[in-house]
C-alpha cells in the first residue's frame, strides 16, 4: 500500500533544573578499624593496612590522599583529625598517628614514645583527589574535615 501522511510533531517538554556540580576528581572511602586489626611492627609502633581502591596509581603519583581519624565526639557530632597528628598524653608521652599510601593501599601508623602505642577502634575516612581535583579547590583547607565535607558535598 501507499505510505500514510506524517503525523504532527509533539511539543517540547520543559528543561529540568540544573543539579549541583559533582566532584568526579575526588573520591571518599569510610571504614571502621578495630583494635584487633592493628599489629606491632616495632616496640613503639602498630600499623594497620587498608585496601583502598580509590587510591589509584594516578592519585598516588600525582594527586593527594588525606586521611582523617575519628578522635571522639563533641556533643552528638563526631570529631575528626587530619593525619598526621600527635598529642601529648597526660603522663608526658606522645601518641602520634601517620600514614603512607601506595596504589590500592593505605597504611596507618600509631606510635607512642612510651612504647605502648594506641590501637583504637574508630572510623577512618580517606579522601583521594586527582591533580585536577586539587586545582578545582585552590583555597580549600584540606586539613579541616568539616570544610572538605562541605565543599565536596560528602555526607557524614
Amino acid at each position: 500500500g501507499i505510505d500514510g501522511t506524517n503525523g504532527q510533531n509533539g511539543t517540547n517538554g520543559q528543561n529540568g533544573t540544573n543539579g549541583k556540580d559533582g566532584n568526579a576528581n575526588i573520591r571518599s572511602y569510610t571504614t571502621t578499624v578495630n583494635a584487633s586489626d592493628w599489629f606491632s611492627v616495632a616496640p613503639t609502633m602498630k600499623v594497620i593496612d587498608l585496601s583502598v581502591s580509590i587510591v589509584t596509581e594516578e592519585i598516588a603519583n600525582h594527586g593527594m590522599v588525606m586521611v582523617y581519624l575519628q578522635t571522639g565526639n563533641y556533643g552528638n557530632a563526631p570529631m575528626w583529625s587530619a593525619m598526621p597528628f600527635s598529642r601529648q598524653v597526660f603522663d608526658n608521652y606522645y601518641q602520634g598517628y601517620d600514614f603512607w599510601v601506595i596504589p590500592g593501599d593505605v597504611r596507618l601508623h600509631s606510635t607512642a614514645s612510651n612504647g605502648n602505642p594506641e590501637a583504637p577502634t574508630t572510623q577512618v575516612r580517606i579522601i583521594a583527589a586527582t591533580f585536577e581535583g586539587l586545582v578545582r579547590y585552590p583555597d580549600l583547607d584540606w586539613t579541616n574535615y568539616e570544610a572538605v565535607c562541605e565543599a565536596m558535598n560528602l555526607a557524614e
Side-chain angles (χ1 to χ4, degrees):
I2 24 180
D3 289 341
T5 58
N6 288 336
Q8 274 185 319
N9 286 337
T11 57
N12 289 335
Q14 290 182 334
N15 287 336
T17 57
N18 288 335
K20 290 184 178 182
D21 289 341
N23 55 6
N25 298 319
I26 299 170
R27 305 261 188 254
S28 72
Y29 170 78
T30 305
T31 190
T32 299
V33 296
N34 295 303
S36 60
D37 297 333
W38 297 83
F39 59 95
S40 292
V41 294
T44 61
M45 182 185 296
K46 291 184 179 182
V47 300
I48 187 169
D49 291 319
L50 302 173
S51 178
V52 183
S53 63
I54 65 170
V55 180
T56 63
E57 189 167 337
E58 176 192 0
I59 288 172
N61 293 332
H62 304 291
M64 178 192 70
V65 175
M66 288 297 298
V67 178
Y68 305 91
L69 195 67
Q70 186 177 349
T71 54
N73 290 299
Y74 184 73
N76 291 332
M79 292 181 352
W80 295 86
S81 297
M83 293 173 74
F85 70 91
S86 64
R87 60 186 169 79
Q88 185 172 357
V89 182
F90 53 88
D91 286 338
N92 292 328
Y93 75 90
Y94 289 88
Q95 171 63 46
Y97 293 96
D98 200 351
F99 70 97
W100 62 249
V101 300
I102 58 173
D105 190 52
V106 174
R107 175 173 271 191
L108 307 181
H109 301 152
S110 173
T111 58
S113 62
N114 71 346
N116 190 22
E118 294 176 353
T121 294
T122 190
Q123 291 283 308
V124 175
R125 186 145 208 197
I126 298 167
I127 307 285
T130 63
F131 177 76
E132 292 80 12
L134 293 173
V135 170
R136 186 172 179 181
Y137 299 95
D139 298 323
L140 182 58
D141 177 3
W142 291 89
T143 64
N144 182 327
Y145 177 80
E146 289 78 16
V148 171
C149 286
E150 184 176 327
M152 304 301 126
N153 273 332
L154 299 174
E156 190 65 41

